[in-house]
C-alpha cells in the first residue's frame, strides 16, 4: 500500500474506487490533457473527433459525473465514502487540472435543478445521470466582462451599491423572464455546455444583493456563444462567452428569486467550488514534485545525478514539505465541510484553495529550477504544470480577492 492510499478506515470498495480514478487519470486524462494543451487553436480542443470527447465519454461510463447526486435521481451520493471524494479530486488534478475542472463543473446546473420542485428540472438530473455519451454538459456562468471579483466579494451583505449590479438582467414578464446581457469568456465549458447555472440580476437597486439564479437550457432562441478563449494555462479546459439577447426563459427555470437567499447560496457555491479547487490542485502540486524528483535522479552533472547535490536535495525536501502540508489541510477541510454540509465553512474552503493553488505554483516554479533550461521547453511536462497552476490562482476567484472575502467571514 502506498503512502497516499494509507487510511486504515477506508473500505475495500472505497479503495477500489480510488484505484479506478487513478487509472482513468493516468491512462485517459493525462495523455489527453497533454495532447489538448499542444493544440494551437482552442477550436481544435472542442472539434468533432477531439480526445476531449473520449475523456468526457469515459468519465460518464465510469459514473464520475453522478458521484455527488443522490440515488433518488439516479446518482451515487449515498454510496460514496466521504473520504474518497477528496482523493478522487486529487487524482484528477494530478492527471490534468484543466480536464478535472471541465468534468467537475459539468454537474453544476444539476445541483440547482435538484433544488427545484419542477418535474422538468428533476427529469434533467435523471437524464444527466443516465447520460453515458456526454450529451448533457453543464457550466457555471457567473463572471461578466465588467464584474469579475465583484462576484467573489459581492457575497458580503454590505455589497449593495447599485453601481456594482450585475449586467446580465432578468425581468419577469408574465410567465417568462426576459434575459439580456453577456457572461465573460471565462465560463468554463461555456463553448460546449448544453445547460448553464446562470447568475442574473433581478433587482439592480440592490447591487450584488439583488441576484437570482436560473438553470438555463442553452439552446433557447437568443443565446449565442463566443469563440473559445486562447489562454496560457489549462488549455484543455475550453472557455467562452455566452450572450443573451431578449431570451425568453420560462419562469420555472428561475430556481432562486429571493436576493437574501441568493447571497447565502452564492456563499455556499463559493465554499464548494473553492473546496474542490483546494483538493484538485494538491494533485497538481504532487505532479510537479514527482516530475522534479524523477528528473533529479536522471540528470547527471558534476559526474553524479543532480539529486546528489545538496542544494537540489534541500529544494526537493522543501517541496515535499509544502505538498504534504497542503494535502493534509485540504483533506481536513474536506472532512470538516462534509460534516457541516450543506453550508460548510467558507474561510476554510478559501484557505484550502489559496494554499493548494499557491503551493502548486511554487512547487512547479521550484521544479523548473531543478530542470534547468529544459524545464522551459515543451519537451517536459513541467512547463505545462507551471502554466496550469498559474491559471488556478485566478480561477474561481483571484486569490487576493478570495482572501479578502475569507477574512470578512472570520470577522
Ligand atoms: C482557469 C479559469 C477558469 C474560470 N472558470 C470560470 C467559470 O467556470 N465560470 C465563470 O463565470 N468564471 C470563471 N472564471 C473567471 C474567474 O472567476 C475570474 O477571472 C476571477 O473571479 C477574477 O475576475 P477578473 O478576471 O475579472 O479580475 P478582476 O476582478 O478585474 O481583478 C483584477 C485584480 O484586481 C483585484 N480586485 C478586484 N476587485 C477588488 C476589490 N474590490 N478589492 C480589492 N482588490 C480587487 C483582484 O484581486 C485582481 O488582482 C475562471 C477563470 C480562470 C482563470
Amino acid at each position: 500500500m502506498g503512502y497516499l492510499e494509507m487510511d486504515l478506515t477506508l473500505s475495500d470498495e472505497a479503495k477500489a474506487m480510488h484505484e479506478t480514478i487513478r487509472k482513468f487519470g493516468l491512462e485517459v486524462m493525462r495523455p489527453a490533457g497533454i495532447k489538448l494543451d499542444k493544440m494551437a487553436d482552442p477550436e481544435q480542443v472542442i472539434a468533432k473527433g477531439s480526445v476531449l470527447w473520449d475523456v468526457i465519454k469515459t468519465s460518464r461510463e465510469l459514473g464520475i459525473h453522478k458521484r455527488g447526486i443522490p440515488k433518488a435521481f439516479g446518482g451515487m451520493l449515498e454510496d460514496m465514502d466521504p473520504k474518497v471524494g477528496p482523493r478522487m479530486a486529487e487524482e484528477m488534478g494530478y492527471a490534468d487540472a484543466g480536464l478535472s475542472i471541465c468534468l467537475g463543473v459539468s454537474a453544476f446546473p444539476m445541483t440547482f435543478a435538484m433544488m427545484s420542485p419542477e418535474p422538468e428540472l428533476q427529469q434533467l438530473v435523471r437524464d444527466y445521470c443516465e447520460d453515458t455519451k456526454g450529451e448533457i454538459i453543464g457550466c457555471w456562468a457567473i463572471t461578466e466582462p465588467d464584474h469579475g471579483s465583484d462576484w467573489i466579494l459581492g457575497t458580503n451583505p454590505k455589497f449593495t451599491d447599485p453601481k456594482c449590479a450585475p449586467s446580465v438582467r432578468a425581468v419577469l414578464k408574465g410567465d417568462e423572464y426576459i434575459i439580456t446581457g453577456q457572461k465573460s469568456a471565462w465560463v468554463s465549458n461555456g463553448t460546449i455546455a448544453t445547460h448553464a447555472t446562470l447568475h442574473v440580476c433581478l433587482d439592480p437597486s440592490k447591487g450584488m444583493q439583488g441576484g437570482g439564479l436560473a438553470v438555463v437550457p442553452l439552446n433557447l432562441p437568443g443565446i449565442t456563444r463566443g469563440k473559445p478563449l486562447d489562454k496560457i494555462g489549462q488549455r484543455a479546459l475550453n472557455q467562452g462567452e455566452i450572450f443573451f439577447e431578449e431570451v425568453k426563459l420560462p419562469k420555472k427555470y428561475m430556481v432562486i428569486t429571493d436576493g437574501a437567499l441568493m447571497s447565502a447560496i452564492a456563499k455556499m457555491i463559493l465554499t464548494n467550488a473553492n473546496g474542490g479547487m483546494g483538493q484538485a490542485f494538491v494533485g497538481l502540486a504532487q505532479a510537479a514534485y514527482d516530475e522534479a524528483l524523477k528528473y533529479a535522479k536522471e540528470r547527471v552533472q558534476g559526474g553524479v545525478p543532480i539529486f546528489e547535490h545538496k542544494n537540489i536535495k534541500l529544494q526537493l525536501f522543501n517541496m515535499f514539505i509544502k505538498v504534504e502540508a497542503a494535502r493534509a489541510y485540504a483533506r481536513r477541510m474536506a472532512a470538516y465541510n462534509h460534516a457541516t454540509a450543506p453550508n460548510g465553512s467558507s474561510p476554510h474552503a478559501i484557505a484550502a484553495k489559496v494554499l493548494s493553488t499557491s503551493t502548486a505554483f511554487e512547487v512547479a516554479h521550484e521544479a523548473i529550477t531543478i530542470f534547468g533550461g529544459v524545464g522551459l521547453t515543451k519537451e517536459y511536462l513541467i512547463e505545462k504544470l507551471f502554466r496550469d497552476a498559474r491559471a488556478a490562482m485566478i480561477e474561481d476567484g483571484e486569490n487576493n480577492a478570495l482572501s479578502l472575502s475569507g477574512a470578512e467571514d472570520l470577522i
Side-chain angles (χ1 to χ4, degrees):
M1 184 192 298
Y3 171 79
L4 291 181
E5 301 88 70
M6 228 297 286
D7 187 331
L8 299 179
T9 62
L10 269 191
S11 66
D12 288 345
E13 231 178 349
K15 282 181 202 153
M17 200 175 277
H18 182 187
E19 192 47 42
T20 303
I21 301 302
R22 183 202 304 274
K23 211 162 166 280
F24 166 63
L26 291 180
E27 293 175 8
V28 181
M29 288 176 75
R30 172 68 69 84
I34 292 171
K35 212 169 182 177
L36 295 169
D37 177 68
K38 286 191 170 35
M39 291 177 174
D41 181 352
E43 288 278 5
Q44 294 169 273
V45 170
I46 53 171
K48 212 170 156 215
S50 159
V51 283
L52 173 69
W53 303 109
D54 300 336
V55 174
I56 294 176
K57 193 164 175 292
T58 312
S59 79
R60 297 295 172 96
E61 286 162 359
L62 291 172
I64 293 172
H65 64 302
K66 54 184 176 182
R67 68 186 194 274
I69 298 177
K71 277 179 168 176
F73 290 96
M76 50 200 279
L77 180 66
E78 295 84 349
D79 291 337
M80 288 287 299
D81 181 329
K83 290 193 287 299
V84 175
R87 286 166 168 77
M88 283 171 75
E90 283 170 29
E91 292 296 347
M92 295 205 282
Y94 184 92
D96 188 275
L99 286 174
S100 82
I101 303 302
C102 160
L103 299 179
V105 80
S106 190
F108 231 75
M110 306 310 147
T111 310
F112 303 99
M114 278 188 290
M115 285 167 66
S116 163
E118 291 296 334
E120 217 169 301
L121 284 176
Q122 300 213 345
Q123 188 55 43
L124 170 67
V125 186
R126 287 191 194 92
D127 293 345
Y128 176 74
C129 287
E130 279 172 22
D131 175 19
T132 50
K133 295 191 179 131
E135 285 167 347
I136 303 175
I137 294 176
C139 69
W140 176 29
I142 177 167
T143 309
E144 297 168 351
D146 292 342
H147 300 286
S149 305
D150 286 353
W151 285 104
I152 305 301
L153 295 157
T155 53
N156 185 322
K158 285 184 273 180
F159 224 91
T160 52
D161 186 346
K163 275 208 308 278
C164 295
S167 47
V168 172
R169 303 273 159 100
V171 178
L172 185 61
K173 282 199 179 144
D175 280 346
E176 291 169 333
Y177 280 93
I178 309 299
I179 303 184
T180 314
Q182 178 195 343
K183 290 295 176 183
S184 84
W186 290 107
V187 177
S188 302
N189 289 353
T191 47
I192 57 172
T194 55
H195 294 78
T197 307
L198 181 68
H199 290 247
V200 295
C201 175
L202 294 172
D203 183 354
S205 72
K206 294 185 178 152
M208 294 305 285
Q209 297 296 304
L213 188 139
V215 173
V216 180
L218 292 172
N219 58 0
L220 293 178
I223 298 180
T224 50
R225 324 280 181 116
K227 277 164 74 74
L229 181 70
D230 199 359
K231 62 187 193 294
I232 64 162
Q234 296 185 37
R235 290 177 63 81
L237 172 66
N238 215 251
Q239 297 178 285
E241 298 147 316
I242 307 178
F243 301 93
F244 301 86
E245 209 182 318
E246 302 278 318
V247 175
K248 291 180 179 155
L249 180 76
K251 199 174 154 186
K252 62 187 170 195
Y253 289 104
M254 190 65 70
V255 181
I256 298 165
T257 54
D258 177 276
L261 174 64
M262 187 57 225
S263 293
I265 297 276
K267 178 72 74 186
M268 219 159 76
I269 294 175
L270 277 185
T271 301
N272 282 317
N274 281 294
M277 290 281 291
Q279 293 153 25
F281 283 87
V282 163
L284 195 156
Q286 179 74 47
Y289 166 78
D290 285 354
E291 292 302 309
L293 181 63
K294 190 166 78 177
Y295 185 77
K297 289 178 186 168
E298 289 164 10
R299 173 71 172 164
V300 174
Q301 285 294 282
V304 291
I306 58 171
F307 180 75
E308 297 298 336
H309 300 303
K310 271 201 185 123
N311 55 328
I312 302 288
K313 256 188 196 153
L314 286 176
Q315 190 157 17
L316 276 166
F317 197 69
N318 191 31
M319 290 155 72
F320 171 79
I321 293 171
K322 286 183 186 179
V323 178
E324 289 302 313
R327 178 173 33 247
Y329 179 65
R331 286 190 182 179
R332 183 168 171 76
M333 174 279 306
Y336 182 69
N337 279 358
H338 176 78
T340 53
N343 291 334
S345 160
S346 137
H348 285 93
I350 289 174
K353 191 269 180 174
V354 172
L355 179 64
S356 292
T357 56
S358 48
T359 298
F361 181 69
E362 283 167 26
V363 171
H365 169 71
E366 287 163 24
I368 287 178
T369 305
I370 291 175
F371 273 80
V374 292
L376 303 172
T377 69
K378 298 266 178 202
E379 198 182 330
Y380 288 89
L381 182 65
I382 195 61
E383 64 83 32
K384 172 181 180 294
L385 298 177
F386 177 74
R387 289 184 284 111
D388 288 352
R390 187 61 188 90
M393 293 164 83
I394 299 171
E395 193 167 12
D396 284 3
E398 190 279 322
N399 281 0
N400 289 313
L402 276 175
S403 298
L404 284 175
S405 162
E408 287 287 342
D409 288 349
L410 288 181
I411 298 159

